[in-house]
Structures are given as structure tokens and as C-alpha cells.
Amino acid sequence: MTETTPRELLQHVIDYGQEAIDTVGDRTADEILAERMREHSVLRTVQIVGEAAAQASKLDDQLLDRVPDLRRAIGLRNVLVHGYVKIRMEEIVLIVRGDLPDLLTQVRALLGEDYE
């Protein structure tokens, strides 16, 4: 089994982050909750973004300094997985629409710098 590189993990951040954005679209939290599979898809893709960020940061100790917003993605992943607090879908929708596009822009810029 080969080790996944930080670059590959950051590409997962982009891919799954974009999937979360597309899955939310212009739907309200109530509309997402009315479609159980869509709800699960949104939560899981957001969780994967945070997990990929966490794994990449373990392999590159400078990564969180270069893309500080990854910390928030990791924190949200921990909340989703461990259930420290019950996150409401309204909050997830705000994060996906408001924060995730900026994070993806930052990660794309880093990868565009021939990041290894």
C-alpha cells in the first residue's frame, strides 16, 4: 500500500469540498433535511474535507501555516465525527456556502504553486 501524499490529500479537499458545494446548491437546510440521502452526502463530504486536511497536515507540518483555514475544516470534522455538539444543518449550509469556497480557493492556489 502506498502512502498518500499531501498533494493528493489536498486534491481530496478540493474534490469533496466542491461536491459539498454542489450538493447544497441553492437549497435551504429544510430542503436538504427532507432528502435523507442529500443530508448524508453533505455531512459526509464536509467530514471528508476535514479528514483529508487533518491527514495532509500530519504529513506537512507547515501546511496549517500556509492555509490556516484548514484548521477550521479539521475542527468541523471532529465535531461531526465525535458529536461534541449537535450541529444544525443551517450551520452546515452557511459553512458550505460561506467558508468552503474560500478554503478551496486557498488550496487551489497552493497546489498551483507546484506544492509537493
Side-chain angles (χ1 to χ4, degrees):
M1 183 181 220
T2 61
E3 184 175 311
T4 305
T5 67
R7 175 176 269 288
E8 291 168 323
L9 290 163
L10 290 174
Q11 188 61 53
H12 292 171
V13 169
I14 293 168
D15 295 343
Y16 285 95
Q18 189 60 56
E19 185 175 339
I21 291 167
D22 294 343
T23 303
V24 168
D26 62 355
R27 292 167 188 82
T28 66
D30 287 338
E31 289 170 328
I32 293 167
L33 291 170
E35 295 180 58
R36 190 101 167 129
M37 294 301 290
R38 186 173 303 277
E39 173 190 2
H40 286 271
S41 177
V42 170
L43 294 174
R44 179 70 175 143
T45 53
V46 169
Q47 178 184 334
I48 292 171
V49 167
E51 181 61 24
Q55 294 303 316
S57 70
K58 289 178 184 175
L59 297 174
D60 176 355
D61 59 1
Q62 302 296 312
L63 185 58
L64 295 180
D65 293 331
R66 295 178 78 180
V67 185
D69 286 351
L70 287 173
R71 279 188 179 87
R72 294 179 67 209
I74 294 167
L76 180 56
R77 176 256 178 224
N78 291 339
V79 169
L80 290 173
V81 170
H82 299 291
Y84 295 127
V85 287
K86 185 168 176 135
I87 292 276
R88 296 176 331 167
M89 185 56 70
E90 291 87 0
E91 294 173 72
I92 298 296
V93 168
L94 289 174
I95 290 166
V96 168
R97 286 194 184 131
D99 299 331
L100 202 46
D102 291 338
L103 175 61
L104 300 188
T105 297
Q106 293 169 27
V107 173
R108 285 183 179 114
L110 177 64
L111 293 181
E113 297 171 2
D114 292 327
Y115 172 80
E116 285 304 322

